[in-house]
Amino acid sequence: MTPALTIHETASLPDDFTDELSPPSMVGMKRFFLKAFLEGRLPGIRTSLLVARDESGRLLAASAFSRMRLEMDCIAPPSVQAVARAGRRLVPGFLVLDLASFGLPASMADQETVFAPGLSDGEQSRIREGLLTRSLELLESERLSACLWKEFDEPAWKTWAPSLSSAGFLRFPSVPVSVQEVAWASPEEYVRRLRSGYRRQLTANLARAREAGLVLETDLDFGPYVQEFLPFYLQVLAHSKTRLETLTLEFFHGLALEPRIRYLRATLQGRPVGGALCWVHAP
C-alpha cells in the first residue's frame, strides 16, 4: 500500500523547514532568503511555499512558488518595451500575464524544490508528480495564463524530465546565467596568477584608484547600509534589458537580518559610489 501524501500551501515557513534541506550554494531556499521574499512586498509578486508531508506529518519536500503579473515584453528589446508601456497606459492589461512560477523570480538559477534526506528515488518521483499535479490544479482553479517550473540544469532536468513530460510541460530556454568558480585563496594569489600584461594593467588601475580616493571596504554588516544600497540596485535595474521583478527596501531589510550576509562597499573621497552583497557560508 502506498503511504499517503499531502501537499498544502503556506505563506509562512514551517519550523521544520531548515537550511539543512538545501546545499550551501542554493541560497534561495535558505530560511532568511525565503522569509525576506515572503515578507518583501514585491510589486506584482506574491510568494508562498508548497509543502509535502507523509501521513505522520513529516516534511518530505517543499517548493517555493510565486503568483506573478508578468509583462510579456520584459525580455524584448528596449524599443519594444517602450511601445508596450505606451499600450498599457491605454489598456492596463496589455501584454500582461498572470502566472504561477515555481522557483523564485529572483533566484540563483536553481531548481528550488528541496527534499528531506533519505528518500528513495521512487519516493522523490512520487513527490515530484504530486507537486506538478498541484501546480496544474492551481493553474486551472485560479485561471492563470501559465504555470512555470524553473530552473533546470542538465542534472536536474534528467531527474525531473519524466514527470514534467508526462504532465504536459514544455521546455524552453530561460534568462542566461553566469557562474564563476573561484580557484584562488586570496586577492594576492589572484594577482600572481594573472598574465604579466594584465597584472601590470591591474596594478596601474589600483594605483590610480587609490590616488583618486577610492576605498573598498569588505565584510561589513549590511544593516547600516540598506538605505545606501537600494539606489545602486535600482540604478543597475534601470539599465537591465530583462526585469522579472523589482526587489524592495523591505526585502533588503529582511536580508540584513541574516548575519552571514556581508556588504562590500566602495567610496570615492568619502562618497558612497557602489556596493555588493555576499552570502558567506562558514567558514
Side-chain angles (χ1 to χ4, degrees), residues 124-229:
Q124 289 194 29
S125 178
R126 189 165 69 93
I127 293 167
R128 281 192 292 269
E129 291 172 0
L131 290 170
L132 287 166
T133 298
R134 176 56 61 88
S135 73
L136 292 176
E137 291 172 353
L138 289 170
L139 174 69
E140 183 175 354
S141 64
E142 299 184 15
R143 298 183 178 182
L144 302 174
S145 303
C147 176
L148 306 177
W149 280 82
K150 58 180 274 293
E151 308 271 353
F152 296 96
D153 58 17
E154 286 307 316
W157 175 249
K158 289 179 182 178
T159 303
W160 281 81
S163 299
L164 286 164
S165 298
S166 64
F169 283 85
L170 302 176
R171 189 186 190 193
F172 59 91
S174 186
V175 177
V177 172
S178 176
V179 177
Q180 181 179 13
E181 294 291 337
V182 177
W184 49 88
S186 68
E188 294 76 19
E189 182 184 351
Y190 167 70
V191 173
R192 286 196 302 270
R193 290 192 185 193
L194 290 175
R195 294 179 180 177
S196 59
Y198 290 127
R199 189 162 55 247
R200 284 194 301 270
Q201 180 182 348
L202 176 60
T203 302
N205 288 345
L206 289 174
R208 282 196 293 269
R210 284 192 295 269
E211 291 173 4
L214 182 69
V215 175
L216 299 179
E217 300 172 90
T218 61
D219 200 22
L220 299 173
D221 289 332
F222 181 42
Y225 302 102
V226 172
Q227 293 277 2
E228 174 184 296
F229 174 76

Side-chain angles (χ1 to χ4, degrees), residues 82 90-91 95 142 225:
L90 299 174
V91 182
L95 291 181
E142 299 184 15
Y225 302 102

Side-chain angles (χ1 to χ4, degrees), residues 43-46 66-72 92-100 145 243-245:
I45 298 175
R46 182 162 53 92
S66 298
R67 294 171 174 86
M68 299 176 56
R69 298 215 79 198
L70 183 68
E71 297 173 355
M72 292 178 63
F94 179 65
L95 291 181
V96 175
L97 299 179
D98 290 310
L99 308 175
S145 303
R243 288 181 239 177
L244 297 180
E245 78 292 317

Side-chain angles (χ1 to χ4, degrees), residues 75-134:
I75 59 175
S79 58
V80 176
Q81 293 186 25
V83 172
R85 283 195 298 271
R88 277 190 287 276
R89 284 195 289 270
L90 299 174
V91 182
F94 179 65
L95 291 181
V96 175
L97 299 179
D98 290 310
L99 308 175
S101 175
F102 286 77
L104 298 176
S107 76
M108 314 304 169
D110 295 311
Q111 207 304 296
E112 286 152 335
T113 303
V114 294
F115 295 88
L119 297 177
S120 68
D121 291 344
E123 289 173 315
Q124 289 194 29
S125 178
R126 189 165 69 93
I127 293 167
R128 281 192 292 269
E129 291 172 0
L131 290 170
L132 287 166
T133 298
R134 176 56 61 88

